């Protein structure tokens, strides 16, 4: 657009900035509130897919889960990152931003194409690793990977899983085994191999704790250490 053009013949976009909370206390409250909202959206997605007896993973669903977690906190809520990103304390360097949309499509294809052939734990482990590996967002990658992995696990098993110690909550309470499983899958991928053994084992043990929690509540005992 030329600056000397008369106003009457000018037509250019006037974008609004996304409003974000800057006060640290209000921001922490928004993060907690958004976490609950993101989990609720995840459950609605599971219930909807189970009712329809059909599910296809799409990039729009991943963006919706991210939007729910970051609304009011980041101007990029519900959007792929526009630039490079690093992960503090990790050896993994995520790909350039220009590759994100294509890699997300590949992730969705992998899940959809292997829906019957692979186990629920494999698909959940794949998402947990691959979405973190792509690191498609400027922030909120861990939160979105964990809920999406859990959503796909529930849909592929065919249940809204019971238990209050959910897999995502257990990971947040004890992150080291999760970080180690991500690093192990990253290392395997450097040689072109998808090896999710460690992540699958981790998710299996966390699923056992989640389900056993129901038994513990009923019996008033403690069957498994978290
Ligand atoms: N080696 C690794 N490879 C891939 N992803 C990793 C690795 N180590 C950590 N991560 C992921 O990166 C996340 C941090 O990225 P980001 O800050 O965008 O996520 P977040 O959702 O904001 O954080 P949080 O998980 O604390 O809620 C970690 O939570 C983890 O999920």
């Amino acid at each position: 657009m030329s600056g000397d053009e008369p106003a009457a013949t000018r037509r250019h976009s006037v974008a609004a900035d996304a409003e974000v909370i800057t006060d640290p206390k209000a921001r922490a409250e928004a993060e907690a509130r958004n976490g609950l909202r993101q989990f609720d959206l995840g459950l609605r997605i599971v219930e909807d897919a189970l009712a329809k007896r059909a599910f296809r993973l799409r990039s729009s669903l991943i963006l919706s889960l991210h939007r729910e977690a970051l609304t009011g906190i980041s101007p990029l809520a519900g959007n792929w990152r526009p630039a490079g990103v690093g992960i503090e304390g990790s050896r993994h360097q995520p790909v350039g931003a220009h590759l994100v949309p294509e890699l997300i499509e590949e992730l969705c294809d992998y899940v959809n194409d292997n829906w019957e052939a692979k186990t629920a734990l494999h698909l959940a482990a794949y998402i947990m690793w691959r979405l973190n590996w792509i690191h498609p967002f400027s922030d909120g990658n861990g939160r979105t990977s964990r809920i999406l992995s859990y959503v796909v696990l529930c849909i592929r098993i065919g249940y809204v899983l019971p238990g209050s110690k959910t897999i995502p909550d257990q990971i947040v309470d004890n992150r080291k085994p999760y970080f180690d499983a991500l690093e192990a899958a990253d290392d395997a991928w450097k040689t072109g191999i998808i090896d999710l053994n460690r992540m699958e084992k981790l998710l299996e043990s966390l699923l056992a704790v989640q389900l056993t929690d129901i038994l513990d509540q009923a019996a008033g005992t403690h069957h498994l250490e978290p």
Side-chain angles (χ1 to χ4, degrees):
M1 185 206 64
S2 148
D4 346 326
E5 210 178 326
T9 60
R10 249 188 264 155
R11 295 290 183 274
H12 62 96
S13 306
V14 184
D17 286 332
E19 277 187 36
V20 290
I21 302 165
T22 48
D23 173 57
K25 185 166 171 285
R27 198 184 151 98
E29 286 167 1
E31 290 212 356
R33 202 167 49 239
N34 285 4
L36 297 175
R37 284 192 188 153
Q38 191 197 40
F39 192 76
D40 285 347
L41 175 60
L43 289 189
R44 287 203 301 281
I45 293 167
V46 174
E47 284 164 352
D48 186 55
L50 295 181
K52 288 183 181 147
R53 295 172 184 271
F55 176 72
R56 282 191 74 75
L57 181 57
R58 296 186 195 282
S59 55
S60 55
L61 186 147
I62 302 174
L63 290 170
S64 301
L65 287 168
H66 182 258
R67 180 175 297 110
E68 215 61 24
L70 274 286
T71 292
I73 295 170
S74 163
L76 292 172
N79 289 280
W80 308 130
R81 61 181 156 88
V85 67
I87 309 173
E88 208 180 359
S90 159
R91 292 194 300 271
H92 176 55
Q93 178 54 54
V95 296
H98 63 292
L99 294 173
V100 165
E102 185 184 332
L103 287 168
I104 291 290
E105 281 174 10
E106 279 177 26
L107 179 153
C108 294
D109 287 347
Y110 182 93
V111 172
N112 296 328
D113 294 349
N114 288 292
W115 191 255
E116 298 291 343
K118 301 284 187 187
T119 64
L121 278 172
H122 175 84
L123 294 175
Y126 178 82
I127 290 171
M128 192 74 93
W129 163 66
R130 193 64 178 170
L131 198 56
N132 272 306
W133 185 90
I134 300 170
H135 231 69
F137 305 111
S138 295
D139 193 13
N141 292 280
R143 280 165 271 182
T144 307
S145 304
R146 292 189 293 271
I147 190 66
L148 182 66
S149 166
Y150 187 68
V151 161
V152 165
L153 181 73
C154 291
I155 297 173
R156 180 63 178 77
I157 296 175
Y159 294 101
V160 174
L161 296 172
S164 50
K165 286 183 190 169
T166 65
I167 293 173
D169 284 351
Q170 290 181 64
I171 290 175
V172 171
D173 287 348
N174 178 22
R175 291 174 187 254
K176 177 80 168 60
Y178 164 67
F179 292 155
D180 289 348
L182 289 172
E183 294 278 358
D186 290 344
D187 288 346
W189 184 245
K190 280 179 196 145
T191 60
I193 294 168
I194 296 177
D195 181 355
L196 297 166
N197 190 37
R198 200 156 172 170
M199 185 61 84
E200 285 185 38
K201 287 272 173 312
L202 174 67
L203 294 183
E204 188 177 344
S205 65
L206 298 177
L207 178 59
V209 171
Q210 178 173 339
L211 298 180
T212 308
D213 187 42
I214 295 291
L215 190 60
D216 291 346
Q217 283 179 35
T221 51
H222 196 71
H223 289 83
L224 271 183
E225 284 303 319

